[in-house]
Amino acid sequence: MPKPQDLIELSYLSESVSDMSFLGLMRLLESARAFNQKHGVTGILLYDNQQFGQVIEGERQNIMKVWKRIQEDKRHHRIELLEIREISSRSFPTWLLRFYGGDTLIKDYPALAEVVGGMDKHSLELINKMRATQ
Ligand SMILES: Cc1cc2nc3c(=O)[nH]c(=O)nc-3n(C[C@H](O)[C@H](O)[C@H](O)COP(=O)(O)O)c2cc1C
């Protein structure tokens, strides 16, 4: 049995193989959130200009399961692992997968602007890294 407090956080950047549609993103989020809920995984997903940035946190064995699903997903490629680190508490305890669309997405889908805002430290770091690789 794993220790209940064997918590880790994993972050990565990737590139979508084609421009994600609003529906495509919603479908992805639905499937991801369902799996995350079953496995006690929380986190954030950012999408802007065909780039993804994600931070997930949870018990090590569950994070490894999610990481495998993420790496096997053909909707994105050039997956670059940023960091895996042990944490003592979660940054997003109430978010199965909080979604932030960047400027580009908000222009196309103004309704999404409502879910953006209140950017935390992780999101800002990821956005900056995403921009640096564009
Ligand atoms: C950018 C991106 C982020 C993802 N994030 C998660 C995630 O947080 N949790 C998860 O279980 N799967 C995640 N996935 C994987 C997909 O949700 C999942 O493997 C895919 O939709 C297949 O799901 P299905 O088995 O329901 O068909 C992600 C995939 C991509 C491309």
Side-chain angles (χ1 to χ4, degrees):
M1 284 287 282
K3 283 179 288 166
Q5 278 307 319
D6 190 15
L7 280 180
I8 61 167
E9 177 196 277
L10 181 154
S11 52
Y12 73 88
L13 298 177
S14 68
E15 206 179 289
S16 70
V17 291
S18 59
D19 211 357
M20 296 289 293
S21 68
F22 177 75
L23 261 181
L25 279 168
M26 291 305 119
R27 236 177 261 136
L28 191 160
L29 277 172
E30 194 183 310
S31 147
R33 282 175 174 152
F35 193 88
N36 292 1
Q37 179 160 37
K38 272 197 205 122
H39 295 84
V41 169
T42 49
I44 52 169
L45 176 66
L46 279 75
Y47 179 72
D48 189 32
N49 208 11
Q50 285 199 212
Q51 273 209 303
F52 288 109
Q54 190 171 13
V55 180
I56 46 173
E57 55 189 17
E59 283 189 14
R60 185 180 301 272
Q61 59 170 23
N62 291 327
I63 290 298
M64 288 308 144
K65 279 185 198 149
V66 171
W67 181 225
K68 186 164 179 284
R69 272 164 64 88
I70 290 170
Q71 286 178 291
E72 284 171 355
D73 197 312
K74 296 275 177 285
R75 285 171 285 191
H76 64 168
H77 61 169
R78 295 195 194 147
I79 302 173
E80 183 197 339
L81 180 65
L82 293 175
E83 194 182 19
I84 299 183
R85 64 185 185 99
E86 292 185 0
I87 50 172
S88 54
S89 65
R90 293 177 191 247
S91 303
F92 318 101
T94 59
W95 294 103
L96 294 177
L97 196 57
R98 182 168 193 177
F99 177 73
Y100 292 113
D103 306 342
T104 321
L105 198 67
I106 290 165
K107 202 159 38 72
D108 294 343
Y109 305 103
L112 277 180
E114 284 168 28
V115 296
V116 185
M119 282 255 175
D120 49 73
K121 182 172 148 278
H122 282 81
S123 315
L124 287 173
E125 272 171 17
L126 273 178
I127 289 257
N128 287 334
K129 284 189 177 126
M130 283 161 74
R131 292 202 168 124
T133 64
Q134 274 171 24

